[in-house]
């Protein structure tokens, strides 16, 4: 079985500057640490690195750092950090990022931004620059912001957008699981109605603070399948974020892999597509 981890983070707070790392997150998670978390029963494993939210002035430095360890970490492509609402500065940043061959897309982390930013004129202008390069956009939002990304998809229909972590729905915990909300289901289907959109089956363990069960996650995975169909789904580990609850949990990456693999088999979803060909096609990797 071949696997593309479509959502992998790497960071080193002693090499780059971050403002959000604290507690068990505040440590080095890079190629050596990832080596200890290889997936079981996999014949080939590669990954898409997704920006780990360095401070803004270090976005290019982060890409250069990942390039240095990419072979050891089996990173075949990079989704770089960018602020798309910066006008000429955004265009300049995209030009600098294009000097790195592994860059295939960008992520402007939206989950902490004001409502409506993704649909603003400034953001749409930046998103058009991304689309003009043939790059992708990773949308990391909370559930109430999904409709903003749908508006972005309508404004820039040629932009390939993937919704990270299913839009971060409230999932509860293993002891107190929640069902998918009507609002999240509505907005997920609204986003999926745009033809170039995809979704990552990733990040749900982090939304449960690491306390989750496969049965708890099944309704959310089913909802994604119902909205997007089997050909616009991709698996991601969200390592190491989804491996950290109150402390780092060794083996959590493999546990999420097994849960989604078993779910996909039970639903007749092609493992080759979910874990390999769909993410490669979306990110334009050959």
């Amino acid at each position: 079985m071949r696997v593309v981890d479509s959502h992998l983070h790497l960071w080193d707070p002693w090499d780059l500057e971050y403002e959000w790392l604290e507690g068990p997150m505040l440590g080095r998670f890079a190629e050596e640490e990832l080596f200890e978390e290889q997936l079981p029963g996999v014949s080939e494993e590669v990954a898409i690195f997704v920006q780990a939210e360095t401070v803004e002035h270090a976005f290019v430095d982060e890409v250069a750092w990942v390039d240095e360890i990419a072979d050891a970490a089996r990173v075949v492509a990079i989704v770089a950090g960018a602020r798309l609402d910066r006008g000429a500065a955004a265009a300049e940043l995209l030009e600098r990022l294009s000097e790195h061959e592994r860059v295939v897309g960008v992520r402007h982390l939206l989950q902490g931004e004001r409502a409506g930013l993704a649909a603003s004129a400034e953001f749409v202008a930046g998103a058009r620059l991304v689309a003009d390069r043939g790059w992708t956009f990773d949308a990391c939002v909370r559930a109430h912001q999904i409709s903003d990304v749908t508006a972005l998809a309508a404004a820039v229909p040629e932009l390939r957008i993937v919704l990270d972590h299913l839009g971060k729905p409230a999932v509860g915990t293993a002891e107190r699981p929640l069902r998918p909300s009507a609002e999240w289901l509505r907005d997920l289907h609204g986003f999926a109605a745009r033809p170039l959109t995809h979704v990552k089956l990733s990040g749900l363990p982090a939304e449960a603070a690491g306390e989750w069960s496969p049965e708890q996650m099944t309704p959310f995975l089913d909802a994604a399948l119902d909205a997007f169909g089997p050909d616009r789904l991709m698996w991601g580990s969200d390592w190491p974020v989804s491996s950290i609850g109150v402390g780092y949990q060794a083996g959590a990456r493999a546990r999420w892999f097994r849960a989604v693999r078993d779910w996909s088999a039970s639903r007749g979803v092609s493992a080759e597509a979910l874990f390999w060909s769909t993410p490669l096609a979306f990110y334009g990797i050959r």
Side-chain angles (χ1 to χ4, degrees):
M1 180 179 182
R2 301 181 295 176
V3 173
V4 176
D5 185 342
S6 73
H7 203 95
L8 181 81
H9 299 297
L10 303 164
W11 63 70
D12 186 349
W14 289 274
D15 206 306
L16 295 164
E17 185 180 352
Y18 310 80
E19 294 179 341
W20 65 279
L21 295 178
E22 58 183 13
M25 298 275 194
L26 186 56
R28 185 180 193 272
F29 292 93
E31 74 281 17
E32 295 175 2
E33 293 75 15
L34 180 62
F35 181 78
E36 301 298 325
E37 297 292 335
Q38 295 179 85
L39 300 174
V42 170
S43 60
E44 185 176 356
E45 180 184 337
V46 297
I48 312 297
F49 168 80
V50 177
Q51 61 100 209
E53 198 64 3
T54 64
V55 294
E56 186 173 349
H57 66 75
F59 284 161
V60 177
D61 294 336
E62 180 182 46
V63 170
W65 175 74
V66 173
D67 267 337
E68 291 176 359
I69 65 172
D71 289 340
R74 290 174 292 191
V75 168
V76 295
I78 293 173
V79 176
R83 295 288 186 270
L84 297 184
D85 59 341
R86 299 289 200 259
E92 180 183 353
L93 173 62
L94 296 180
E95 184 63 29
R96 293 177 64 197
L97 291 173
S98 71
E99 297 172 5
H100 296 265
E101 292 184 359
R102 284 189 178 88
V103 174
V104 295
V106 299
R107 182 171 81 162
H108 178 140
L109 192 61
L110 290 167
Q111 64 182 17
E113 297 280 18
R114 63 175 174 83
L117 177 65
S120 68
E122 297 82 2
F123 197 99
V124 167
R128 287 200 177 105
L129 296 177
V130 175
D132 288 345
R133 291 184 176 275
W135 287 356
T136 62
F137 180 70
D138 265 60
C140 186
V141 297
R142 302 200 180 278
H144 69 276
Q145 298 170 304
I146 295 174
S147 59
D148 288 345
V149 185
T150 303
L152 174 65
V156 192
E158 68 274 23
L159 180 64
R160 289 172 289 146
I161 304 175
V162 60
L163 184 66
D164 294 347
H165 315 325
L166 293 89
K168 294 198 165 188
V171 299
T173 64
E175 290 188 357
R176 296 185 177 181
L178 296 175
R179 300 288 298 180
S181 71
E183 294 79 12
W184 175 73
L185 290 169
R186 176 199 66 208
D187 291 345
L188 189 73
H189 278 265
F191 177 70
R194 306 303 308 184
L196 295 187
T197 59
H198 286 63
V199 67
K200 289 185 180 179
L201 306 185
S202 61
L204 296 189
E207 296 309 299
E211 300 295 331
W212 62 276
S213 71
E215 297 76 19
Q216 170 195 3
M217 300 307 183
T218 294
F220 297 91
L221 300 176
D222 284 344
L225 176 59
D226 182 51
F228 290 87
D231 298 326
R232 289 189 287 156
L233 310 176
M234 61 185 85
W235 176 80
S237 71
D238 189 36
W239 186 87
V241 177
S242 280
S243 295
I244 299 173
V246 294
Y248 184 75
Q249 302 171 29
R253 180 172 182 256
R255 185 181 176 219
W256 179 243
F257 164 71
R258 288 192 297 267
V260 178
R261 179 198 62 192
D262 293 349
W263 166 84
S264 65
S266 73
R267 299 300 189 262
V269 174
S270 165
E272 176 71 10
L274 173 62
F275 290 99
W276 188 259
S277 61
T278 296
L280 291 181
F282 176 79
Y283 284 112
I285 303 164
R286 295 173 176 81

